[in-house]
Amino acid sequence: MGTPIRRGRGRRPADEVRAEILTAAGELLLEEGMAGFTVEKVAERAGASRVTVHKWWPSRGALAFDGYFAATSPVLAFPDTGDIEADLRSQLRNWVRLATRTSAGRVVRELLGAAQTDGDLMAAWRERYSGPRRALAVQRLDAAKAAGQLRKDVDSEGLVDQLWGACYHRLLIPDLPLTEQFADRLVDTLFQGVRGEAAAPSPLREKALGVPPHR
Amino acid sequence: MGTPIRRGRGRRPADEVRAEILTAAGELLLEEGMAGFTVEKVAERAGASRVTVHKWWPSRGALAFDGYFAATSPVLAFPDTGDIEADLRSQLRNWVRLATRTSAGRVVRELLGAAQTDGDLMAAWRERYSGPRRALAVQRLDAAKAAGQLRKDVDSEGLVDQLWGACYHRLLIPDLPLTEQFADRLVDTLFQGVRGEAAAPSPLREKALGVPPHR
């Protein structure tokens, strides 16, 4: 991978330079993680000056964030083939591959780890990354509800936590490996449901126990 | 809350002193978080000397860990009333209350945050906390499978990630609030399944698309 360093070219349009810096930032981050990520290396890789990079990105952190989103967005796009189950499987497998076969997993662990005691970093993560990613996922899930492929009363936001959140759980607390098979099973479990034949159907059970309805 | 400080009492048996130190450590941690957690304060609260505390716990971190487990284990016990759905709801609600109404949530965020770049801390977390907690959850889920209340082919380990992992996801990336209602819906979604009426039944779909079986 890695874009070759370009020097001595004629003046490029600003949009092009900006896009190349972003690409370079994303590539460098996924190759080396935050430890090896510097504005200088990004500038060199993009054939731009540090001054130019700083014109658009005030800090190393902001550049890393935007580079991360730019690099991962295409891989993490939410396909819509009309089959939500197949689409979730392929998107989650891409997520797992990105987290386990590139430095993305390490970058996420480093950033989210630091964000636990750094409110500014957490705010940036939510605004620039997890918020927009969650919105895209919910949009795809809501389309599947509208198409009757998911039950209408499913909580799309909660489903985000039970699919991608379950993967984050294995990434951040690695008691067990994060694999594509694991991702597949998350989808299986949700589509098949977990109720065994000896379990009472939920409405009857709740009535019998006097548990108040919670919706 | 908080055990009153006891001084000038006669010699207590070592087991009793150890238990009181552990209780004091757990209480202090949940009240003040890691920032306010010192060996000195624990010793004072337990009416013991720092030397005595250090005899059993080599470091502040080890004392905090053991205190945390001691304080939270009773609250986070897995009930077995014979109704797995009700039991999961009550256990998860306890989890959410602990994480949101005491300092436990902050302690977990601080420790897990630091553990992302501290291999020793992560190893300690997994060995002393998440590993044992996961084993207890799986034990309860397996009992429910044996009783026919959960489908036999459900992946108990994956279910841990889709219940408690989903809660950790909201704790560590607070895009949306962690509430008891959220916990209830996680259980609803898993027991009811998410498949809509317009979705093809899974085996047919997989056969039609030529997707290989993944179990």
Side-chain angles (χ1 to χ4, degrees), chain B residues 107-177:
Chain B
V107 171
V108 167
R109 286 198 306 272
E110 288 169 358
L111 289 175
L112 273 181
Q116 300 308 315
T117 48
D118 178 341
D120 290 341
L121 183 56
M122 181 61 87
W125 177 273
R126 290 179 48 196
E127 189 190 311
R128 296 174 102 115
Y129 190 75
S130 61
R133 293 294 325 163
R134 180 179 273 277
L136 288 168
V138 166
Q139 191 182 330
R140 179 67 190 94
L141 294 170
D142 284 348
K145 277 158 80 168
Q149 297 201 328
L150 292 178
R151 284 192 304 102
K152 303 272 188 247
D153 61 341
V154 163
D155 174 22
S156 297
E157 294 286 1
L159 212 47
V160 171
D161 300 288
Q162 291 187 291
L163 289 169
W164 296 276
C167 292
Y168 270 99
H169 187 233
R170 290 221 172 170
L171 181 67
L172 297 172
I173 311 177
D175 283 321
L176 288 172

Side-chain angles (χ1 to χ4, degrees), chain A residues 83 85-86 89 109-110 112-113 116-117 122 125-126 130-131 134 147-151 153-155 157-159 161-162 165-166 168-170 172-176 181-182 184-186 188-199 202 205-206 209 214-215, chain B residues 83 85-86 89 109-110 112-113 116-117 122 125-126 130-131 134 147-151 153-155 157-159 161-162 165-166 168-170 172-176 181-182 184-186 188-199 202 205-206 209 214-215:
Chain A
D83 180 343
E85 192 173 343
R89 280 182 210 284
R109 287 198 307 271
E110 288 168 358
L112 273 181
Q116 300 309 315
T117 49
M122 181 61 87
W125 176 273
R126 290 180 48 196
S130 61
R134 180 180 273 275
Q149 297 201 329
L150 292 178
R151 282 193 304 103
D153 61 342
V154 162
D155 174 22
E157 294 286 0
L159 212 46
D161 300 289
Q162 291 187 291
Y168 271 98
H169 188 233
R170 291 220 171 172
L172 297 172
I173 311 177
D175 284 322
L176 288 173
Q181 191 192 37
F182 166 71
D184 271 344
R185 286 193 180 171
L186 296 178
D188 289 345
T189 301
L190 283 165
F191 274 80
Q192 294 168 23
V194 301
R195 192 184 301 282
E197 59 219 19
S202 192
R205 188 192 60 78
E206 293 193 355
L209 293 177
H214 35 76
R215 281 212 186 112
Chain B
D83 180 343
E85 194 174 343
R89 281 181 209 281
R109 286 198 306 272
E110 288 169 358
L112 273 181
Q116 300 308 315
T117 48
M122 181 61 87
W125 177 273
R126 290 179 48 196
S130 61
R134 180 179 273 277
Q149 297 201 328
L150 292 178
R151 284 192 304 102
D153 61 341
V154 163
D155 174 22
E157 294 286 1
L159 212 47
D161 300 288
Q162 291 187 291
Y168 270 99
H169 187 233
R170 290 221 172 170
L172 297 172
I173 311 177
D175 283 321
L176 288 172
Q181 190 192 38
F182 166 70
D184 271 344
R185 287 194 179 170
L186 296 178
D188 289 345
T189 301
L190 283 164
F191 273 79
Q192 294 169 23
V194 300
R195 191 184 302 284
E197 58 219 19
S202 192
R205 189 192 60 77
E206 293 194 354
L209 293 176
H214 34 75
R215 280 207 187 118

Side-chain angles (χ1 to χ4, degrees), chain B residues 15-30:
Chain B
D15 278 2
E16 195 183 302
V17 177
R18 197 177 185 286
E20 287 180 13
I21 293 170
L22 216 45
T23 301
E27 285 175 359
L28 182 66
L29 193 65
L30 292 194

